[in-house]
Amino acid sequence: MAETQIEWTDATWNPVAGCSIVTAGCTNCYAMQMARRLEAMGVPKYEGLTRKSGKRAIWNGVVREDRTALDIPYAWRKPRKIFVNSMSDLFHDDVSEAFIVDVWRVMRETPHHNYQILTKRPERMAEVVARAIPDVLPNVWLGTSVENADVIGRIDHLRAVRAAIRFISFEPLIGAVGAVDLTDVHWAIVGGESGLNARPIREDWIDEIYAQCDTYGTAFFFKQWGTWGKDNKKRSKKANGREYRGQIWNGMPATLEL
């Protein structure tokens, strides 16, 4: 719950711990192994959130709300982009609506920060926000993950949410997404998978998203090639780098008037 190496944010804040695998994009989630490490380090919040499957750690479905973590953003005086729940999903079915409302209260009371909430459950996000959140906060960005064409329906659920900024994380990009409607989507993050079991990314999949971002006026951020490079060879993600079409793409959504 502090500084992070994630390229598109400044800090992470985890009022929820634990999750469940829902689609193929979850298979190699870094947070599962990280939760296992934190448990081994004696951090109570992460105790009993995963099970072993061979050499891998897998979410076991236990989700834990951490009310003590709600105070953390108040202590950060310097404005930051904050990734909310890098170790979970705020809209997991086992996170109570009352707790989500409390997270919103913290974000409302700390307007100097920008909060980035990413979910693989945008249908629940749309339902809860419509029912329980009365206002659109300019400092809250709402996003969903789309790893391939199988889950592009998430974009329609995202578009149904009242939000100042909507974004999509096409990461890990493990397949082509095809023609997608990016109307009212302000930002797209694209990245390949990293790690020992990473699945390859293809440049034409990225090209497809890049072209649609250009068509719809969606800001484009290329996070990484990951373990598989542009040449389809496996090496460290650092060695493969972030260059795409001869440059680094750090696009961010423009500030919107509500």
Side-chain angles (χ1 to χ4, degrees):
M1 288 180 289
E3 305 303 319
T4 178
Q5 298 299 311
I6 299 172
E7 290 83 353
W8 46 265
T9 196
D10 300 320
T12 59
W13 173 43
N14 285 290
V16 179
C19 204
S20 305
I21 291 177
V22 288
T23 56
C26 303
T27 301
N28 297 319
C29 177
Y30 70 89
M32 296 189 292
Q33 191 61 39
M34 180 61 71
R36 194 78 173 187
R37 289 179 196 156
L38 290 168
E39 179 180 20
M41 293 166 59
V43 181
K45 178 174 175 174
Y46 294 95
E47 183 178 349
L49 300 183
T50 62
R51 61 179 176 82
K52 292 294 286 184
S53 176
K55 295 182 179 180
R56 302 171 60 218
I58 304 292
W59 294 126
N60 61 15
V62 174
V63 174
R64 190 166 291 137
E65 298 173 358
D66 181 7
R67 290 203 160 272
T68 63
L70 293 176
D71 293 333
I72 290 172
Y74 296 103
W76 291 342
R77 301 299 183 187
K78 181 181 177 181
R80 305 182 185 199
K81 293 190 298 293
I82 300 172
F83 179 16
V84 181
N85 284 320
S86 63
M87 296 291 292
S88 183
D89 188 329
L90 184 62
F91 291 96
H92 190 285
D93 288 342
D94 291 336
V95 179
S96 69
E97 188 169 305
F99 191 78
I100 294 170
V101 169
D102 284 340
V103 168
W104 240 264
R105 172 182 51 78
V106 174
M107 299 189 295
R108 186 179 296 109
E109 293 175 354
T110 52
H112 57 298
H113 297 313
N114 283 306
Y115 292 92
Q116 301 155 312
I117 302 176
L118 185 60
T119 183
K120 286 184 172 67
R121 299 160 175 87
E123 62 279 14
R124 185 172 188 233
M125 179 166 67
E127 292 167 2
V128 172
V129 169
R131 181 171 54 244
I133 308 300
D135 47 354
V136 177
L137 299 181
N139 65 323
V140 175
W141 309 2
L142 300 180
T144 193
S145 300
V146 174
E147 65 263 29
N148 58 25
D150 294 341
V151 293
I152 60 172
R154 290 174 180 166
I155 300 174
D156 290 330
H157 290 298
L158 175 67
R159 202 174 359 257
V161 185
R162 295 170 60 243
I165 300 288
R166 296 183 195 86
F167 69 101
I168 299 171
S169 175
F170 294 99
E171 185 192 17
L173 189 61
I174 57 173
V177 298
V180 293
D181 182 0
L182 298 181
T183 303
D184 296 327
V185 175
H186 309 103
W187 187 36
I189 305 162
V190 180
E193 195 166 52
S194 59
L196 184 63
N197 299 308
R199 292 157 287 186
I201 188 172
R202 299 285 184 261
E203 188 169 14
D204 59 312
W205 303 344
I206 307 169
D207 291 340
E208 188 175 59
I209 296 168
Y210 173 84
Q212 291 177 95
C213 285
D214 186 56
T215 297
Y216 286 92
T218 302
F220 178 83
F221 190 107
F222 185 64
K223 181 175 178 285
Q224 64 179 26
W225 285 95
T227 297
W228 295 85
K230 177 180 179 179
D231 57 1
N232 201 33
K233 291 184 179 178
K234 199 172 184 179
R235 55 177 75 87
S236 74
K237 69 175 183 178
K238 183 177 180 181
N240 284 325
R242 297 185 55 216
E243 189 174 291
Y244 166 67
R245 295 194 172 198
Q247 68 180 83
I248 303 297
W249 299 86
N250 287 330
M252 283 283 169
T255 301
L256 301 181
E257 295 293 332
L258 298 182

